[in-house]
């Protein structure tokens, strides 16, 4: 099956080898067309509610919320639209900082900055201690009676840590600890479910959907205790003097005009990935990951930092900066990344380099992509490519 045919980026960028899927995935035709579909046929606000099209758009938004929520086993009233994982995490952490004033918060060294810095900022006036952990066992060993929140990524965007979310949640939920799953990476590779965490955040841009869209799913019983951290139109029942009364449904948390076109496209993206299925995706990606590993270990001076089977592969080339490697590949139409990928905390650990080259796979990649990458790495003309 030639999956690349489903994505116009491949047609319009002949010969592109795209290996930065952790940053953004390409969009299939049907997702792109759905944006036009909204603007050409439905371009009405849900607030224009006394009209045929206004009602139709509102129905479609509810339908999208249902389908996207269902995808992660969240109910309609547990699924909030945001602009992406970063906004989802910022909102969740901000809301939590208004109900948790002391105690301990466990984060991991491999968290994305979006799952660390909002904690530092939102909790800076609270009396909370941050504790960093390495893996599942380390998290469990660091849980105490003071632990209030654990926040991790089901799949990280750097080293493959394999957190056992089910095991962590079993312990956390018994101790009333809130577990946050930053599913930005996991969502395009494997099942993500609100059954094994209290809060889930992800972006649609990494799941073949539009940029500027995301989900914040919060379990009903927790959401009831939280108050919005954004205010404006759409959430108000009435205003009397300086007091206002809030609606008591999901709209309470979503003031302002939503990204309707984005929501239409997001739903299409979820349908797209559902049709292909995680099983197929995983099979293709695993085969590619193993293939890439076998090829990369044979490249002279290449120091592989990931394990066999990792779908995100980190490496360095001896005595060449990671940016020089990425730049050389990038100018040869091979897209990878260099740096620490907004996950600076792991560089505090011993044994890790300050920067890496990263390639991240998607199901539309092929062995030909890997062969081209390896061919250029073997050539190694790092300073002679422009
Ligand atoms: C694990 C993880 N969390 C959070 C983010 C932030 O996602 P976004 O930039 O879509 O908000 C990313 C982005 O790469 C990520 O990989």
């Amino acid at each position: 099956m030639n999956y690349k045919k489903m994505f116009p980026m491949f047609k319009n960028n002949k010969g592109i080898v795209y290996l930065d899927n952790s940053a953004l995935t390409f969009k299939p035709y049907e997702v792109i067309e759905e944006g036009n579909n909204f603007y050409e046929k439905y371009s009405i606000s849900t607030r224009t509610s006394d009209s045929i099209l206004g009602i139709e758009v509102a129905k479609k938004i509810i339908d999208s919320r249902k389908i996207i929520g269902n995808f992660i086993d969240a109910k309609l009233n547990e699924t909030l639209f945001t602009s992406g994982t970063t906004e989802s995490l910022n909102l969740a952490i901000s809301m939590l900082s208004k109900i948790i004033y002391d105690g301990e918060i466990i984060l991991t060294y491999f968290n994305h900055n979006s799952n660390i810095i909002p904690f530092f900022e939102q909790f800076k006036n609270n009396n909370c201690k941050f504790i960093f952990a390495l893996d599942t066992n380390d998290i469990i060993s660091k849980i105490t009676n003071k632990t209030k929140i654990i926040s991790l990524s089901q799949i990280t965007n750097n080293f493959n840590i394999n957190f056992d979310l089910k095991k962590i949640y079993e312990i956390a939920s018994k101790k009333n600890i809130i577990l946050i799953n930053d599913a930005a990476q996991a969502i395009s590779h494997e099942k993500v479910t609100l059954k094994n965490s209290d809060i889930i955040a992800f972006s649609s841009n990494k799941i073949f959907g539009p940029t500027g869209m995301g989900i914040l799913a919060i379990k009903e019983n927790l959401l009831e205790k939280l108050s919005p951290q954004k205010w404006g139109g759409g959430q108000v029942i009435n205003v009397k003097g300086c007091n206002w009364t809030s609606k008591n449904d999901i709209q309470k948390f979503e003031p302002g005009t939503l990204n309707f076109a984005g929501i239409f496209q997001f739903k299409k993206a979820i349908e797209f990935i559902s049709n292909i299925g995680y099983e197929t995706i995983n099979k293709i990606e695993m085969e590619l990951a193993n293939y890439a590993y076998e090829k990369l270990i044979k490249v002279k001076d290449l120091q592989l930092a990931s394990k066999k089977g990792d779908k995100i592969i980190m490496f360095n080339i001896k005595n060449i900066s990671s940016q020089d490697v990425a730049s050389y590949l990038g100018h040869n139409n091979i897209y990878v990344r260099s740096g620490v990928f907004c996950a600076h905390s792991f560089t505090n650990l011993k044994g890790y380099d300050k920067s890496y080259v990263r390639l991240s796979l998607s199901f539309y990649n092929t062995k030909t992509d890997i062969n081209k990458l390896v061919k250029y790495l073997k050539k190694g003309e790092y300073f002679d490519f422009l």
Side-chain angles (χ1 to χ4, degrees):
M1 179 92 172
N2 183 355
Y3 289 107
K4 285 188 178 171
K5 280 205 170 134
M6 297 174 165
F7 298 84
M9 272 295 285
F10 292 110
K11 191 176 115 209
N12 296 322
N13 296 277
K14 286 271 175 289
I16 188 172
V17 172
Y18 185 68
L19 296 167
D20 195 16
N21 295 289
S22 286
L24 203 88
T25 52
F26 288 168
K27 319 303 168 200
Y29 284 98
E30 61 209 73
V31 168
I32 297 168
E33 279 156 17
E34 190 63 6
N36 280 349
N37 186 36
F38 171 78
Y39 288 117
E40 288 175 2
K41 298 189 196 145
Y42 297 95
S43 216
I44 299 285
S45 171
T46 48
R47 302 220 207 292
T48 315
S49 51
D50 297 317
S51 65
I52 293 169
L53 279 179
I55 292 168
E56 183 75 14
V57 174
K59 268 194 198 149
K60 282 185 176 288
I61 298 300
I62 293 172
D63 196 33
S64 305
R65 202 191 290 276
K66 246 189 223 157
I67 287 173
I68 301 168
N70 248 338
F71 190 62
I72 52 165
D73 305 317
K75 295 181 209 148
L76 193 61
N77 59 347
E78 296 177 322
T79 311
L80 273 81
F81 288 117
T82 66
S83 67
T85 313
T86 302
E87 195 197 9
S88 297
L89 288 168
N90 269 274
L91 272 178
I93 295 163
S94 170
M95 293 196 276
L96 291 174
S97 74
K98 302 292 185 292
I99 61 163
I100 293 171
Y101 304 104
D102 54 18
E104 293 172 352
I105 296 173
I106 301 181
L107 308 171
T108 91
Y109 286 104
F110 304 95
N111 278 16
H112 190 278
N113 290 339
S114 296
N115 196 8
I116 293 182
I117 311 299
F119 279 105
F120 292 169
E121 289 299 320
Q122 296 291 353
F123 277 84
K124 69 181 162 203
N125 296 322
N126 301 17
N127 194 19
C128 289
K129 193 173 154 200
F130 297 108
I131 291 166
F132 281 80
L134 286 168
D135 55 22
T136 302
N137 288 341
D138 201 24
I139 290 175
I140 291 170
S141 76
K142 285 176 172 159
I143 291 175
T144 69
N145 288 340
K146 293 185 193 145
T147 310
K148 300 282 173 67
I149 303 173
I150 301 171
S151 196
L152 50 76
S153 277
Q154 182 171 334
I155 296 182
T156 59
N157 74 338
N158 43 84
F159 295 95
N160 182 5
I161 307 298
N162 252 329
F163 291 105
D164 187 341
L165 227 64
K166 196 163 172 270
K167 192 168 169 190
I168 297 169
Y169 192 54
E170 260 166 33
I171 299 169
S173 51
K174 278 190 198 130
K175 291 178 173 279
N176 278 332
I177 298 167
I178 295 164
L179 180 61
I180 304 178
N181 177 12
D182 167 1
Q185 294 301 327
I187 198 75
S188 61
H189 302 291
E190 64 186 30
K191 176 71 183 168
V192 170
T193 171
L194 198 58
K195 286 184 187 153
N196 60 20
S197 62
D198 298 292
I199 297 179
I200 291 174
F202 69 94
S203 307
S204 89
N205 74 63
K206 299 185 202 299
I207 191 171
F208 318 107
T211 52
M213 277 305 309
I215 286 294
L216 171 60
I218 303 185
K219 277 216 167 101
E220 209 173 7
N221 60 346
L222 175 58
L223 192 59
E224 275 166 16
K225 297 181 196 144
L226 302 175
S227 48
Q229 294 305 305
K230 289 195 297 187
W231 299 273
Q235 68 187 162
V236 179
I237 293 178
N238 62 47
V239 182
K240 290 210 170 104
C242 293
N243 295 312
W244 68 285
T245 311
S246 167
K247 286 183 183 166
N248 212 12
D249 55 20
I250 208 79
Q251 288 182 41
K252 171 175 163 185
F253 296 95
E254 287 175 344
T257 303
L258 292 175
N259 179 357
F260 302 128
I263 294 171
F264 273 45
Q265 291 180 295
F266 196 169
K267 170 179 169 263
K268 271 277 171 216
I270 294 289
E271 287 167 348
F272 174 80
I273 194 168
S274 304
N275 284 339
I276 293 173
Y278 283 128
E279 208 178 311
T280 305
I281 289 173
N282 187 49
K283 193 163 167 271
I284 298 169
E285 290 176 348
M286 275 313 286
E287 197 181 328
L288 276 177
N290 288 332
Y291 183 79
Y293 179 89
E294 294 301 342
K295 290 274 171 183
L296 289 171
I297 47 169
K298 292 188 190 126
V299 176
K300 190 168 163 273
D301 291 335
L302 188 146
Q303 299 157 335
L304 211 48
S306 297
K307 304 179 295 294
K308 187 170 181 191
D310 288 352
K311 296 170 179 179
I312 291 180
I313 303 178
M314 313 262 282
F315 66 87
N316 267 315
I317 304 285
K318 201 172 159 195
N319 296 330
I320 313 282
S321 87
S322 58
Q323 193 176 5
D324 283 337
V325 178
S327 205
Y328 157 67
L329 294 171
H331 283 82
N332 284 294
N333 216 10
I334 302 168
Y335 288 70
V336 297
R337 278 274 290 285
S338 68
V340 291
F341 323 109
C342 307
H344 289 76
S345 290
F346 76 71
T347 60
N348 292 323
L349 291 166
K350 272 201 188 127
Y352 288 87
D353 290 346
K354 294 287 170 234
S355 159
Y356 291 88
V357 182
R358 177 186 77 175
L359 62 98
S360 48
L361 301 166
S362 181
F363 75 98
Y364 47 56
N365 288 123
T366 59
K367 288 184 181 169
T368 311
D369 292 339
I370 306 297
N371 292 343
K372 185 167 172 195
L373 166 79
V374 170
K375 181 177 136 194
Y376 276 84
L377 286 172
K378 281 186 173 163
K379 249 202 236 172
E381 294 169 348
Y382 298 112
F383 305 109
D384 192 21
F385 59 86
L386 287 175

